[in-house]
Every structure is written in C-alpha cells, then in structure tokens.
Amino acid sequence: MSIFENWSWALDGWIVAAGVLCAVASALLGNFLVLRRMSMLGDAISHAVLPGLAASFFLTESRNSWPMFVGAVLAGVLTAFFTEWIRGAGKVDEGASMGVVFTSLFALGLIMIVRAADHVDLDPGCVLYGAIEMTPLDLVDIRGFLIPRAVVTLSVVTVINLLFVGLFWKELKISSFDSGLATTVGFSSRLIHYLLMILVAVTAVASFESVGNILVVAMLVVPASAAYMLTDRLLPMIFVSVVLAAISAVTGHLSAIIVPSWFGFESTTTAGMMAVSAGGILFLSIVFSPKSGVLIRFVRQRLLAWQILEEDVVAFLYRIEERKLPIGHDFETLRRELLADFVSMKVVLNRLVSRSQLVVDQGEYKLTDEGRLRAESLVRSHRLWEEYLVSHVGIDADRLHQKAERLEHFTDKDLRERLNHETNAPENDPHGRPIPAERDSPKSDQASTS
Amino acid sequence: MKEEIPLAVSDLTVAYHRKPVIWDVGFELPAGSLIGVVGPNGAGKSTLLKAVMDLTPRASGKVLVYGKTYRENRRRVGYVPQRESVDWDFPVDALDVVTMGLYGEIGWCLPVRRKHRQAAMDALDRVGIADFAKRQISQLSGGQQQRVFLARALVQDADLYLMDEPFAAVDAATERAIIDILGEMKESGKTAVVIHHDLQTVPEYFDYVVLLNMRVVAHGPVEDVFTNDNLQKTYGGRLTLLEEVSEAMRRRERSL
C-alpha cells in the first residue's frame, strides 16, 4: 500500500483529527438546521462571517484571534437577523432574503480582505477553502504537549456544541417540531433560534482558517440529511449524522491522497475531498435508505407486482376451469393473457409450484387444491366488490371488472366479511356468475397483501 | 375556587399588512363550558386563538385569561393547533410529542423523567391510542395524529383549552374520543374553546357559541345565539366596506 509509505501520524493524524472535529461539530448543529428547514442559513452564515473577520482586523489592526473571533460571530448572527428582517419588511421569501444578505456581506468581506491583504498576510484563498494541510504546522503548547492550534480550537467548539445539544435537547426538539407550542409552554422559539445561530457562527468561524468554508457548509447539511434518511428518531439521527461526518472526514483525507495518484497527480485538497466523501455518503443513503431509499422502493414494488401476478395466475386458471374454456394452461398462453414479461412470469410460476399451489404436467399448469382455495377467495373478493360497486357506488358496468380487478388484491378475509354483509350476502355477482363461498384455509389467508 | 372568567377579550384587532384579519373583537366566556367558535373561511378564527396566546402580534386590544394577562397565566392554557401546522415527518414518536406538553413544567435544561413519560402515556391511554405510543408520527392516521395533539394538551392539565379545528377530517372513532374528552373536561370545570366547521353538530357538541366573521357577529348560549338569523349575518357576506376602507388606507399610505 503506497498510501501508508508517506503516512505520518504527526502530520496526517492531526489533519484527520481537525477534519473529524470540524465535521462532528458541524453535524451536531446541522441536524437542527435540516429539521427546521433552514439548511441554507448555515451556508449563509458561514460565508457572511468574512466581513466580521475583516472589520475586526481593521478596527484592532492586529491578527489577534479574540477580536476577530467575536467580530466574525457577530457578523454571522447579524446574517440570521437581517434575513428575518428583510423577509418581514421586504415581502420576499426566505431564500431570496438569505441570498441577498449573505452575498452582499460576503462580497463586502472580500473587498475588505483584498484591501487588507496589501498590508498583511490575510489570504482570501485560504479563507475560502482553508488550509487543513497546514494544521500540523501551527502548534501550541498545552501542558507540555504540542498540539495544533486548530485541533485545540475545534475540540473546544465540539465540546460546546455537544453541551448545547445535550443541555437544550428538549428545547431544541420542541421548538424545531412546533415553534408555537414551544413559545406557549415558555421556551421562546426566537431565543433558541438565535442561540443556534450563534453556535453555527462560532463553529463556522472556528473552522474558517483551518479547514475552510466548504467543509463547514457541507458538514452542516450533508451528514444530517443522510442520517434523516436512515432513521426516524431524533437521538439516533444525531448519532448517525455524527458517525457519518467522522467517516467522511477520514475517507476524505485518505482519498485526497489516493485518488489523484490514480490519474498521475499529486494529492489534492483534503477539505474538498472530505466534502466530496460526505456527498458520496449522502448518495449511498438515498439509494440504500431502509425507509424511503430508491433501492428498497424498487424492491417493494417488484415484490408487490409479483404477488399480484401470482394472484392473477391462480384466479385466471380458476376462471378457465369454472367456465371450461378451451384455453391452454401453458407458459406462453398465461404470459400472453396476463400481459406479463418473461422473467416475472417465470419467477411467479416457480414460486406457485414450490408452494404447491400449482402443479406442472408436461408444460401445462394446473391448480392444486391449495391453489384453488387461494383463487376462490380472490374470485370471491372480486365478485363481492363488483356487487358492492354496483349497488353502493353506482359504477358503470363496463368499468366494473377493471375496478374490482384492482381491489381484489387488497381485500382480506375481514374486509370480505364486511362486503358480504353490506351487500346482503349475494349468491351471484352482477354478471350472474356464482360467488364462491368462504372456505377456511388451513394456512394463513394468502389473499391479504397488507 | 371563585368563579372567574376564563377568557375575556376586548377591542382585539389583528392586521396583516394593514389589512385587518379580525377587527374589534370582544367577548367574555363563561367558565366550565364548551364553546364553539364558528365562522366562514378567512373569518380569522385561528388568528383569534393565536392572538390570545401572543403567537400573532396584535394591533390593539386586551386579553385576560382568568383575570390576568396571558403571559402570567400561561400555565393555565392548553393549545391544540391545527394538524397541518407541524411537519409529521419529524423524527419523534407519539409519546415524545405528548411529553412535549410537559416540557414547560419540567423547565429549562432538565431531563424528562419517568413520571413525565408515565403521565404522557396515561394521556395517550385516555385518548385511546396508547398502543401507538412508540410509532413514528407520520405512521399514524390523521385521526390518530389529532388525538396525539389532544393528549399533549391533556397532559398540560390546563384550565382553559384552545383547540383549532380538532374535528377537521377525522374518523368517527376520533370524533367520538374528542367528544368524550370534552365532556370530561366540562365535568371537571374546565373550559374549552373549539374552532368548529360543521354547523350541524354545533348544538350537540357545544353549550356556548361565538359567531365570528372578522368581528364577533354574536356570542352567547347556543340556544339563544345559534339562530338562522345570526348565521345569515355570519356567513352572508364579508364586511366589504371595512375591507374597502383598509384598502383605501393602504393606497393612501403608498401615494404619500
């Protein structure tokens, strides 16, 4: 492995640590931004801290961290405030007012920094995409240990965010879910909103010069969105988002070293790659999410389609039997009559045979007793529905069959009983065909698909 | 307990961009009764409830809850908002939502304890959906969601309940459950103000009614006030002149 030849815990270890801390600190707050549908505000704030940084620099004429920190946080909170204010006073929607505020502030910040750059080492490029690779070079002495300054700052911020989420758990939960209720039980939604905004600004500023803007913006939104797709409870969501954030930071740094070498380049920007990995994780969550993922939805639809086709097959065979129609029972006929594709029909017939609802004899499929039982309850559902649709709903006769054909697949024994009761237990359907009697299945009722 | 007036409103006006939503609303409601608030769409019924609870800024007017301002007596008021007012995909279960009714009592930063969860569970049981306590709330039917909101208000153990269309689009079982709860509330001397849409059931469900269409058309015991004549006035047309004068106010302001 070529990667570990150049790996140095003293360098790469600290870079990954800074990335993970920034990602975790941002993801913690990001959950609430996502749930409050204000993900963009995180983006806006982390851009708009720039003029705050620059203004504090002009005022104090030094690169002392504290005034710059306070100035930047103030600018961030002002963004949240202006956004609210312009939305109210300017009759524009939140997205537009946010766009106005943060682009103006960001541009103002850039102008100020470029002016300042004539005199000092405030580098706009560094501010934009950070210099996480430089993390191990700027060390501070903490009780005899030399630790990168960025790691110290980001650790403090992570602890603050953890404490915030832990202490104000109830308050964040209630005001994110129902801000009206929060206010009526005595937790001012506005206060919690601005507390959250202050911490977003603090996190953005702390991350700014070390890991850059891109990573904060990504980590505020992406891990939380991915976690939201993977779970439907708040505590697991936060936990998952933190884990995903950490994973993206680690894989981000690794791929920043590995991936470019595939194309013959030197390593690329770590912060950028961390954000890209987060995007990759989000993509995977969209595909594999167990509750709403693309994959699971596809599988569920397929299974349902096959189940319906199974039922269509047995009901079809039952009807041929009942009317003694001279129609073949072979694979091709079934496929043509039921408009099924080759693979589906193959799967369905095999399943029916393996459950001994059908037997196959020289290419001809025949119902077994068990299959007939299942078909009977389907046909019974179908005909009861037809009767009900005629007598209670007044559906036209020509559309009757089509409607009942759909409903029969979702009708269990209980619903059949009620249909039977409502239609006064008819013996024949509206077309005059006999409605099969309810027979108790030795196994569970197969017609139910709920 | 001395007979107090649960809710007294006088000269209440709420405007949105100078356009009044409710105008010069005033009434005093009797304690221990079930009060229906009835009026056409856009009559300002929800706005009235929100203005009472300081959730909407008011242009003028005074609201007294048991003789004090809403702020001072906040604990004595329980609110059941419209079901559409929240995001039901929010990652919490039914028990969590009901427990939120107790957050005010628990106080800042303190954790939810077992007795609170038990109280929430009891409230869910009272509205008949204790079995669904651990379900994520989007997996509940509309009626069950409404009952979760009702349970959340119950757990607050308030004296005055403000309910925004609890009967809207619910199944028969939920409707029955809400009626039963309202009956129990009345028996224990509580007062419920309920926004209601179905005129037919008003005499059956409520004993006092407020007819609202921007201003109070009439209020009083159902048998006196819920008359065809008053309903005509409530539903028979909006206060067009009042709307015109507010339109004129806006035009004038713009032309300055």
Side-chain angles (χ1 to χ4, degrees), chain A residues 277-297:
Chain A
S277 333
I281 287 180
L282 179 73
F283 176 75
L284 292 179
S285 315
I286 293 175
V287 174
F288 295 108
S289 158
K291 59 172 176 167
S292 56
V294 176
L295 194 71
I296 196 80
R297 279 213 305 266

Side-chain angles (χ1 to χ4, degrees), chain A residues 37 170-171 184 228 233-234, chain B residues 74 87 91 107 109-110 134:
Chain A
R37 308 198 180 283
K170 269 189 358 274
E171 290 76 5
T184 61
Y228 192 24
R233 295 295 189 285
L234 192 52
Chain B
R74 185 158 56 199
D87 171 15
C109 301
L110 295 171
K134 286 290 171 190

Side-chain angles (χ1 to χ4, degrees), chain A residues 29 45 73 76-77 80 193-204:
Chain A
L29 303 179
I45 287 180
V73 170
V77 176
H193 173 79
Y194 282 108
L195 274 177
L196 182 60
M197 290 307 116
I198 289 173
L199 283 185
V200 168
V202 166
T203 310

